[in-house]
Structures are given as structure tokens and as C-alpha cells.
Amino acid sequence: MIIVHHLETSRSTRILWLLEELGIEYELHRHARVNGRAPENLKHIHPLGKAPFIVDGDLVLAESSAILRYVDARYGNGRHSPQAGTAEGAMHDQWLDLAEGSASFPLLLPLLGRMMGGLPDAMAQFAAARGKDVLTYIAEGVGKGSFLMGEQLTLADMQMVYTLEMANMGGALDSYPALQSYRDRLHWQAGLKKAIEVGGPLVPSSWARL
């Protein structure tokens, strides 16, 4: 049985979402934050000392996208992933990686800045410009479909939900009604509802409209 090490109000919810969608039994180890950070005892299990990570037999695996790919391939028969080696599969992988690549940093910066009393002007301008670029790109990617890859819920959507939650908490989605609707559709998914029920909210309540 897969063991999931889940840090409260974190990216770990993505993993729980996939497991719930697949209907896989798993053992959940919940970890509370200590002063906003992962507890030190996680380093006894994984050297990075952060979650999510899973234990599956001898495998100890971290990083959300790697875990999602592994679980879907091994236990879901690729149910939530377009076929590898196709144009659709390549685009899906781009969205999956973009959520924690190009998108995450500029959307997280304003939240961090507000918690620390503000960002330097140059950094604030960078975050605003890059945040606008990535949100516009994601909105265009969703287009008139239900999800990033059309009508099929995929790993990319599960990865993107936390990124959108950061943007929403900072007010960045106010100018993107299409992304607000997309975020709502993600939250309507039974698997995400169950993941939040089991693991708690996606992000800290302290982030709300800082």
C-alpha cells in the first residue's frame, strides 16, 4: 500500500486527489507545519525534509509531478495522462511542468511579499509582468474547454490547482473570469473534494486576500 506523507495546506493535496480519483487505498501520514514550515522529522524519511512524498515498497519518491506520473502510470494505467510520444502527450507534459516551473514563482512572490511587508519595486514589477503572462497563457490553454486538455481531467489539471489557488488568494484571478470558472470546475471534482476532506484545505487561510 502506498504511504503518502502529507503536509497540511500544501501541494500534497494534488497526490491525494489522484489517489481518490483512481480509488486506490493508501495510508495517510499527516504532518502539521511548525512556524509555517515542514517539521524537521521529515528529514528522517526523505533528505529534502519536505512533502509531498510517497513510500511504495522500496521506493521513496518526492516532487508532485514525479509522484503524479508514477502513480498514474503504475496504478491508473495512464488514465489521466494522454499517450506519451504524441503531440497531445507533449502538450500535457508542458502544462504539468509549467505549474511548478514558469507559473509558480511569479504568482507566489506577491504573497510572500505581502507577508514580509512588501517586495522591492523591481521584483514587484517582474512578478506582475510574469504573472500576467502565465495567467493569460493558461487562460488561452483552457480556452472553451472544461480542462487544460479539453474535456478530459488530467494530471496537468491536478498539478495546476494549487498554482491557481495561490493566484486566487492574491487576487490575481480577478481579471481572468475564465480562470475563475476553470478553478471552480476543478473544485467541483469529487476526487478533489474528498482530498480536501481528508487532507484539509489547499492553502493557509492566512493567505486569503492578504
Side-chain angles (χ1 to χ4, degrees):
M1 182 183 295
I2 295 176
I3 299 172
V4 181
H5 286 269
H6 168 67
L7 180 64
E8 63 180 17
T9 60
S10 80
R11 293 162 172 81
S12 305
T13 307
R14 297 161 165 166
I15 313 307
L16 303 183
W17 183 3
L18 176 58
L19 291 168
E20 294 294 342
E21 289 285 345
L22 295 176
I24 296 173
E25 291 188 9
Y26 58 93
E27 182 178 325
L28 181 64
H29 291 197
R30 295 187 59 161
H31 302 277
R33 291 182 180 272
V34 178
N35 297 322
R37 301 178 63 84
E40 284 293 318
N41 66 344
L42 282 179
K43 290 184 178 179
H44 297 305
I45 310 169
H46 193 283
L48 293 178
K50 64 177 187 176
F53 65 89
I54 64 168
V55 179
D56 190 19
D58 293 332
L59 175 67
V60 180
L61 186 64
E63 298 299 332
S64 298
S65 62
I67 297 170
L68 291 174
R69 287 180 168 107
Y70 169 77
V71 171
D72 194 47
R74 178 158 184 174
Y75 295 99
N77 197 29
R79 187 186 311 174
H80 295 286
S81 308
Q83 184 177 352
T86 65
E88 187 179 33
M91 283 303 300
H92 171 263
D93 286 350
Q94 176 205 257
W95 291 121
L96 184 59
D97 292 337
L98 180 138
E100 284 296 327
S102 299
S104 183
F105 184 60
L107 296 176
L108 180 60
L109 267 179
L111 292 172
L112 295 177
R114 290 172 190 176
M115 287 188 285
M116 297 184 297
L119 294 172
D121 288 345
M123 189 173 292
Q125 292 169 9
F126 163 82
R130 292 300 296 160
K132 180 180 179 180
D133 288 345
V134 296
L135 290 175
T136 299
Y137 186 57
I138 296 167
E140 291 173 350
V142 176
K144 296 183 179 180
S146 296
F147 305 109
L148 282 166
M149 300 303 298
E151 299 308 307
Q152 178 190 1
L153 178 70
T154 65
L155 302 182
D157 300 299
M158 298 177 196
Q159 184 80 335
M160 193 65 73
V161 70
Y162 186 86
T163 305
L164 291 178
E165 206 65 20
M166 289 193 301
N168 184 63
M169 286 294 195
L173 293 191
D174 291 352
S175 301
Y176 299 88
L179 288 184
Q180 290 177 332
S181 297
Y182 170 48
R183 173 185 170 271
D184 289 343
R185 285 192 295 277
L186 296 182
H187 277 268
W188 293 338
Q189 301 306 303
L192 180 55
K193 288 182 178 180
K194 182 62 176 179
I196 292 173
E197 178 185 327
V198 170
L202 274 165
V203 296
S205 58
S206 59
W207 284 12
R209 300 293 175 165
L210 289 167

